[in-house]
Amino acid sequence: MARQTHKREDLLRDAVALSPRIKLLCEDAPDVPIFAGFRGEALSLYFDEDPAYHFNGEKELRRAFFQDALYECANGQLRKLIRDTSSGAVKLQRLEVSAEFQSDFSNELQSRLSNLNSSITAATFKVEGQVPEDGEALNKLRFWLESFNEVVFANSARVR
């Protein structure tokens, strides 16, 4: 893990493990670029720099970056990851979060997904780019959002 944090790279260009991938701007939030990329059926979804959500192939949340904090899922629960750099190396401490926080987190995520789905359905967005350029990223994202039911925390933070 890196010892320094940097502003996120250009995911459309650099996230080569995610294909197809797409960058959108929605009319209801034109200053928040949305990036979506797939690794197989697993979706990574970024709303500008924060938040970012990573799902497995079963549409279960496995990792997130939310309000400047890292989270991972384990055993169907959300855990906060705290970076400890006191020893000169980065170590992660895992902290359980409250049921209330998990509920609020789930509600906000569900709302973001619902709003994105509504924007895509109503065609109130602009494609900023996609890879491959003539790819099916938008259709794959549309199908993923339409078939998403509810936020479920994965048993593991791993993609598979």
Side-chain angles (χ1 to χ4, degrees):
M1 179 172 274
R3 292 181 187 203
Q4 297 176 340
T5 59
H6 301 282
K7 185 171 172 66
R8 183 169 293 120
E9 69 273 17
D10 179 351
L11 291 171
L12 195 59
R13 181 192 68 219
D14 298 336
V16 296
L18 301 176
S19 184
R21 56 192 181 271
I22 190 167
K23 184 176 178 183
L24 305 169
L25 289 177
C26 294
E27 286 180 8
D28 62 340
D31 58 333
V32 180
I34 299 169
F35 171 85
F38 289 89
R39 182 185 304 170
E41 298 305 312
L43 172 67
S44 289
L45 189 59
Y46 297 78
F47 293 83
D48 197 20
E49 294 285 320
D50 186 352
Y53 305 102
H54 304 279
F55 298 87
N56 63 23
E58 289 76 42
K59 297 182 177 68
E60 299 169 331
L61 184 72
R62 60 184 192 84
R63 292 185 184 271
F65 183 75
F66 178 74
Q67 297 177 346
D68 290 324
L70 293 169
Y71 294 88
E72 71 175 5
C73 296
N75 302 317
Q77 300 293 312
L78 191 63
R79 298 188 303 189
K80 186 173 186 176
L81 301 174
I82 305 294
R83 286 186 176 117
D84 177 6
T85 58
S86 61
S87 66
V90 176
K91 295 180 183 177
L92 293 176
Q93 295 178 333
R94 290 163 170 82
L95 303 174
E96 301 298 322
V97 297
S98 70
E100 180 182 5
F101 180 87
Q102 287 189 86
S103 177
D104 291 345
F105 179 97
S106 294
N107 290 338
E108 181 166 329
L109 173 53
Q110 188 75 44
S111 176
R112 284 184 183 275
L113 295 175
S114 178
N115 290 342
L116 178 56
N117 188 37
S118 294
S119 290
I120 291 174
T121 300
T124 57
F125 66 91
K126 176 183 168 192
V127 175
E128 290 287 295
Q130 65 177 324
V131 176
E133 286 184 22
D134 60 348
E136 289 294 315
L138 182 59
N139 286 336
K140 191 165 184 173
L141 179 59
R142 177 183 289 121
F143 177 77
W144 193 98
L145 291 166
E146 288 172 353
S147 62
F148 185 83
N149 293 319
E150 65 180 328
V151 176
V152 174
F153 299 121
N155 286 322
S156 170
R158 296 179 183 243
V159 73
R160 294 186 192 346

